[in-house]
Amino acid sequence: MEAPKQTAAIFETLSRGQFICSNSNDESIRKLYSAIEEEQIFDFLYDYFLSINFILEKGDEYYYFTRVENKIDLERKIEQAFKWIDILDFFKTFDNSFGSGYRFTPSDILVKLNLDAELKSKIEGLKRHSNGKEKPSEILEKILADLVKDKFIDIEDPNFHKYKVLASFKYLEQIVMTINISEGAKNEIPE
């Protein structure tokens, strides 16, 4: 089998740490998803990318790359995972149904932030991932920019600052779901 014509575009997108999602607002990303979705193409691309040390992974309506990491990279990834867990916790506190397909505006979050002490506490906790001096609106703006950059959300309507959560957000949810805390360890974790 010959490499599909989209191979370079798939590699370019995934090698930057981004996702290819079925529900992306970007039509070219949706076309890449459709191409990879064919079983023969996925199998070919899996082997093709594996030969250059990239592992093509399939999530629930999204694709991404993983790599074998050395210890230094692993530590950096663990720090990043802590950040994503805090961000996921913030958005699930905002609305428990926050997930793939969810639509929102920053003003929706800021309104609830003024009414909900727990949500305000969560955004204050996110300061540890920045310089610690930003206002809640600035922290939210930075988080949303990071989520857009990493392809977890898309800007659906730039005029009204409306966002849509992409299927790749399930990746963050799965990170949390795979954390297993044994009964013995539960008693050691301070509340």
Side-chain angles (χ1 to χ4, degrees):
M1 177 178 196
E2 195 173 301
K5 64 182 179 183
Q6 304 92 336
T7 303
I10 291 167
F11 180 78
E12 239 178 75
T13 302
L14 297 179
S15 66
R16 290 188 306 237
Q18 297 179 344
F19 293 84
I20 294 177
C21 300
S22 65
N23 67 341
S24 175
N25 286 339
D26 185 337
E27 184 179 349
S28 64
I29 297 293
R30 288 193 312 269
K31 285 182 179 179
L32 293 178
Y33 178 86
S34 294
I36 301 170
E37 192 174 33
E38 293 181 36
E39 189 173 338
Q40 283 183 322
I41 304 253
F42 175 82
D43 292 342
F44 175 84
L45 290 173
Y46 180 88
D47 293 337
Y48 183 83
F49 293 131
L50 189 59
S51 69
I52 56 171
N53 293 325
F54 284 91
I55 302 167
L56 179 61
E57 302 278 0
K58 178 179 174 63
D60 188 8
E61 297 188 40
Y62 61 93
Y63 293 97
Y64 61 101
F65 274 158
T66 58
R67 293 182 72 166
V68 176
E69 303 289 339
N70 62 38
K71 187 174 179 172
I72 294 170
D73 287 340
L74 188 58
E75 289 174 7
R76 183 186 50 78
K77 282 190 167 194
I78 290 171
E79 288 176 25
Q80 186 66 28
F82 283 136
K83 176 183 174 186
W84 288 125
I85 290 168
D86 288 344
I87 289 171
L88 178 65
D89 184 38
F90 172 76
F91 284 110
K92 289 295 187 174
T93 301
F94 164 67
D95 188 335
N96 197 40
S97 65
F98 194 94
S100 179
Y102 189 90
R103 288 168 167 79
F104 68 97
T105 64
S107 60
D108 296 336
I109 296 171
L110 292 172
V111 166
K112 188 163 183 184
L113 194 60
N114 290 325
L115 304 171
D116 187 329
E118 183 180 10
L119 189 62
K120 193 168 196 131
S121 170
K122 301 281 184 191
I123 204 161
E124 289 294 321
L126 289 171
K127 283 184 177 180
R128 71 176 155 255
H129 302 294
S130 61
N131 69 20
K133 297 179 182 175
E134 294 103 343
K135 297 179 209 172
S137 60
E138 294 168 333
I139 295 169
L140 180 60
E141 186 178 311
K142 183 178 181 332
I143 291 168
L144 294 176
D146 286 348
L147 289 170
V148 168
K149 179 179 70 72
D150 292 333
K151 301 296 184 198
F152 291 116
I153 64 174
D154 259 347
I155 299 174
E156 191 171 54
D157 185 343
N159 296 327
F160 293 101
H161 303 286
K162 189 169 189 172
Y163 293 85
K164 176 175 80 173
V165 180
L166 299 176
S168 53
F169 194 78
K170 293 174 190 173
Y171 177 81
L172 296 178
E173 294 172 320
Q174 289 173 343
I175 287 173
V176 174
M177 297 307 289
T178 58
I179 297 171
N180 186 17
I181 300 174
S182 67
E183 279 300 314
K186 284 182 184 176
N187 296 329
E188 296 173 14
I189 298 173
E191 294 194 26

